[in-house]
């Protein structure tokens, strides 16, 4: 309740209204260098800007190995998200190729997100069961979460999703 009151107070503040006004003005007239023509056309520049997140994701995946730790898979998810957003931003200029890459990166991101959610849920349920000291609760956690089966399935889906992202046409 205290945090909610603080949040509502911030949203009612003059500083927040100034921020909103500045954001609206920035969208209406982005503060680019006025009168300065672009040296490189967007159609050439945007693919190069997408290449950075693509290379970082590719290196991350290459370093995962056979049985990567959950933290590494979560980092891979974040890199897939960066690639997705970069590709989505370039879509209006680049077109269908960027749209397809964004869609494939989103697929990888979703698979890795499901894996992360399962890992976090499993950890939470185990902690809760241990806190109660109930053997029955601990058994229920193992049956419900089936950590090994879930992890194996998610890793297989991750591999398939990565193959879709890593096609040469992207």
């Amino acid at each position: 309740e205290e945090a909610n009151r603080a949040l509502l107070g911030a949203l009612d503040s003059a500083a927040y209204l100034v921020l909103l006004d500045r954001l609206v003005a920035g969208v209406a007239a982005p503060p680019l260098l006025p009168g300065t023509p672009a040296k490189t056309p967007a159609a050439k520049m945007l693919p190069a800007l997408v290449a950075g997140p693509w290379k970082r994701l590719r290196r991350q995946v290459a370093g995962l190995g056979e049985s990567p730790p959950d933290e590494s898979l979560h980092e891979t998810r974040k890199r897939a998200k960066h690639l997705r957003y970069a590709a989505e931003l370039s879509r209006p200029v680049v077109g269908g190729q960027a749209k397809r890459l964004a869609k494939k990166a989103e697929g990888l991101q979703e698979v890795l997100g499901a894996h992360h959610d399962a890992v976090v849920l499993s950890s939470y349920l185990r902690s809760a069961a241990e806190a109660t000291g109930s053997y029955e609760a601990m058994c229920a956690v193992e049956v419900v979460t089936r950590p090994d089966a879930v992890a194996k399935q998610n890793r297989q889906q991750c591999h398939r999703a990565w193959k879709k992202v890593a096609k040469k046409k992207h």
Side-chain angles (χ1 to χ4, degrees):
E1 288 177 10
E2 185 178 321
N4 188 42
R5 279 193 296 275
L7 175 64
L8 292 175
L11 293 175
D12 286 338
S13 72
Y16 181 70
L17 294 176
V18 169
L19 173 64
L20 288 179
D21 288 341
R22 291 180 69 191
L23 286 171
V24 169
V27 169
L32 304 175
L33 299 174
T36 306
K39 293 182 180 178
T40 306
K44 287 187 180 184
M45 180 62 74
L46 287 171
L49 293 175
V50 174
W54 164 249
K55 288 175 186 175
R56 286 188 289 280
L57 175 60
R58 192 176 65 213
R59 279 194 304 267
Q60 175 74 21
V61 171
L64 287 177
E66 281 297 311
S67 189
D70 295 326
E71 297 82 22
S72 295
L73 291 173
H74 184 59
E75 187 62 33
T76 304
R77 176 180 179 262
K78 291 190 285 187
R79 292 186 191 268
K81 187 187 300 189
H82 294 167
L83 173 61
R84 171 190 170 193
Y85 293 158
E88 284 177 350
L89 286 171
S90 70
R91 189 186 57 76
V93 173
V94 176
Q97 187 178 13
K99 182 179 180 179
R100 286 186 296 277
L101 177 58
K103 193 75 172 160
K104 302 300 181 189
E106 180 181 17
L108 177 60
Q109 178 190 337
E110 287 177 356
V111 168
L112 290 167
H115 177 75
H116 182 69
D117 291 348
V119 167
V120 169
L121 176 62
S122 179
S123 174
Y124 171 77
L125 290 174
R126 278 197 184 88
S127 295
E130 288 172 9
T132 66
S134 166
Y135 174 76
E136 290 81 7
M138 201 56 167
C139 289
V141 168
E142 290 300 319
V143 169
V144 170
T145 61
R146 300 174 293 122
D148 294 336
V150 169
K152 182 178 179 183
Q153 180 184 18
N154 286 335
R155 289 171 195 273
Q156 289 170 345
Q157 289 175 342
C158 175
H159 183 70
R160 285 193 297 271
W162 169 246
K163 280 187 162 188
K164 291 178 182 179
V165 174
K167 288 185 178 180
K168 288 190 186 283
K169 67 182 178 180
H170 295 139

